Amino acid sequence: MDDDPDDDRAAGRPEPAGRDEDAPRGGGLTTGEVARRLGVAPTTVRTWDRRYGLGPDAHTGGRHRRWTAADVARLERMCALTATGLPPAEAARLARGDTPADAPPATGRAVTASASAGARAPGRSRAGSGLRLGDVRQECKGIARAALRLDAVALEELLLAAIAEHGLVPAWTEVIMPTLQAVGRKWESSGERYVEVEHFLSWHVSGALRRSARPVAADRPGAATVLACVPGENHTLPLEALAAALTEHGLPVRMFGGALPVESLVAAVRRTGPAVVGLWAQSRTTASRPLAQHVAAMEWGVRGARRKAAVLTLGPGWAGQGVSGLPRPAGLAEAVALTRSLTQG
């Protein structure tokens, strides 16, 4: 892939001689200092220099090269543009200012919008250090690059932009989940490497989900939905996505997160009297039929008008462990549609 700035390092190709300049000198920053400031590898800075002509404008004598403030600003623009998912070659052209005379200058937000408008990038894409994403939307590449660089500002902006552009369910299904799965595959195939990237991405996804939808007050008794992971289950992100998607539709949600003890779940259901209870299980070892049956049998309210909650068994852990009479939505969109029907009906 000609547009992957880390291909040379990943493939083990030697770097050009005479460009190892981490000893500080006057007249500008070293490549190592620039890389640390940008949050990228020094190899990436050198590759952008060699491949796309983004090196220092002025050369000092000897083997050492120095980067001025203008040089660094150009590289910062390159980082911002690639973070949107723009191919590095095109990002470099814009960073250098190689635009037609009658074309308006591109901004980071403008590139984000144009990238969001594109349905899917052609072919199979990669981001950063060989992170294979498959046939995905353009935004996935930008999010993956920001995650690999551990760039908190760019990652947050890109996640929120994807949710605002597409809506929460499409953003989760077509942008966020493919990127999370690609990072997970990279972690599984690389030993202990990239664990920090997975944690970093997951934390920012969780924050973006919470910021994208405000809590909704219940306008009548029995209108709320209770969401919780079953005891022993700590994989909360898909449940957080459902909570955010329901509030996006104006539905009140009581979210209790990971590994809620049985006694606490029962107490929460009795105190809130929900229309729907969603129980998330990521693995079969945590999915509990007796728990789901117990919650489904719970009643509350005055005698003669007692009510029960509809219980949804959510997540792959319930596959093959289904409870008779309790629905198991296949995905986020189906879970949202079913919850809306049950609460509004």
Side-chain angles (χ1 to χ4, degrees):
M1 293 283 292
D2 289 339
D3 285 341
D4 192 332
D6 288 331
D7 278 349
D8 294 302
R9 180 178 57 178
R13 289 191 286 270
E15 299 170 11
R19 293 196 185 177
D20 190 83
E21 60 278 338
D22 287 333
R25 283 175 175 254
L29 299 175
T30 68
T31 296
E33 290 166 340
V34 170
R36 285 190 290 274
R37 176 175 293 191
L38 298 176
V40 301
T43 306
T44 299
V45 177
R46 296 185 185 107
T47 300
W48 286 349
D49 175 7
R50 183 177 68 256
R51 188 174 296 173
Y52 305 123
L54 293 176
D57 286 334
H59 290 219
T60 59
R63 300 173 57 197
H64 300 288
R65 311 186 74 190
R66 293 296 178 267
W67 302 77
T68 66
D71 300 329
V72 174
R74 189 162 52 239
L75 292 181
E76 288 174 340
R77 182 163 172 75
M78 176 72 171
C79 285
L81 292 167
T82 57
T84 68
L86 200 67
E90 176 64 12
R93 184 182 69 80
L94 294 173
R96 291 192 308 264
D98 299 344
T99 54
D102 57 347
T107 64
R109 293 192 178 276
V111 173
T112 300
S114 63
S116 300
R120 291 183 182 271
R124 302 185 65 80
S125 61
R126 301 174 68 195
S129 304
L131 186 61
R132 298 191 177 276
L133 291 168
D135 184 20
V136 295
R137 283 186 178 273
Q138 183 82 359
E139 298 100 315
C140 295
K141 295 192 292 182
I143 291 171
R145 288 191 178 105
L148 286 167
R149 290 202 311 269
L150 304 182
D151 187 336
V153 174
L155 184 56
E156 179 176 337
E157 289 181 351
L158 291 168
L159 288 168
L160 292 175
I163 293 171
E165 176 75 18
H166 303 295
L168 206 141
V169 173
W172 172 262
T173 305
E174 301 178 29
V175 178
I176 297 172
M177 271 301 296
T179 311
L180 285 167
Q181 290 167 348
V183 172
R185 288 193 300 269
K186 188 69 174 178
W187 169 60
E188 289 176 356
S189 64
S190 304
E192 292 300 312
R193 294 182 63 201
Y194 299 101
V195 174
E196 76 283 2
V197 176
E198 183 181 42
H199 283 233
F200 183 75
L201 177 58
S202 297
W203 191 88
H204 280 279
V205 167
S206 178
L209 291 172
R210 295 187 191 189
R211 280 189 289 276
S212 66
R214 288 184 170 275
V216 177
D219 57 357
R220 56 186 169 80
T225 295
V226 164
L227 299 177
C229 291
V230 297
E233 182 58 71
N234 289 299
H235 291 80
T236 63
L237 270 186
L239 202 61
E240 292 176 48
L242 176 57
L246 292 176
T247 58
E248 186 180 57
H249 286 281
L251 301 180
V253 175
R254 304 292 180 265
M255 173 64 165
F256 293 92
L260 188 66
V262 173
E263 299 81 2
S264 301
L265 173 62
V266 170
V269 172
R270 291 198 183 282
R271 288 177 62 184
T272 58
V276 176
V277 175
L279 299 177
W280 179 271
Q282 184 75 16
S283 69
R284 294 189 180 187
T285 59
T286 58
S288 170
R289 284 187 187 177
L291 175 60
Q293 291 170 330
H294 178 72
V295 174
M298 291 176 59
E299 294 184 337
W300 55 86
V302 297
R303 184 175 299 178
R306 298 181 72 79
R307 296 181 291 113
K308 296 182 179 181
V311 175
L312 308 184
T313 52
L314 305 169
W318 297 102
Q321 307 252 33
V323 183
S324 177
L326 302 186
R328 188 171 77 86
L332 179 59
E334 185 177 335
V336 171
L338 184 55
T339 302
R340 292 183 68 188
S341 174
L342 291 169
T343 56
Q344 295 175 345

